[in-house]
Amino acid sequence: MISIEDAADTLLPEFLLDKDPGYDGWLFGKVSATLARVDAKEPRLHDHDEAMARLRERRAGENAY
């Protein structure tokens, strides 16, 4: 048995929650592309501030529609 609080920091919720159609394929594609970049020694790493700015830009673009 595991508490809700303990389960929150694990992958367990991923197995229990309903996902949008296509989520598994999208996730597989993202992970595959990342592993391919790492294997090719071409990882695209960003410092925290840059990563957060890029995320904010992406979210603003999604909300523009």
Side-chain angles (χ1 to χ4, degrees), residues 13-63:
E14 289 288 318
F15 298 113
L16 301 176
L17 297 174
D18 290 334
K19 298 177 190 99
D20 290 334
Y23 173 81
D24 289 331
W26 171 85
L27 181 60
F28 181 80
K30 293 294 259 183
V31 171
S32 297
T34 299
L35 291 175
R37 283 195 310 271
V38 170
D39 287 344
K41 308 233 186 292
E42 299 174 357
R44 293 182 282 173
L45 299 176
H46 306 283
D47 67 33
H48 177 75
D49 292 337
E50 181 182 355
M52 293 305 294
R54 291 169 62 100
L55 178 61
R56 285 186 195 98
E57 289 173 11
R58 186 183 296 174
R59 295 293 296 165
E62 290 174 0
N63 294 332

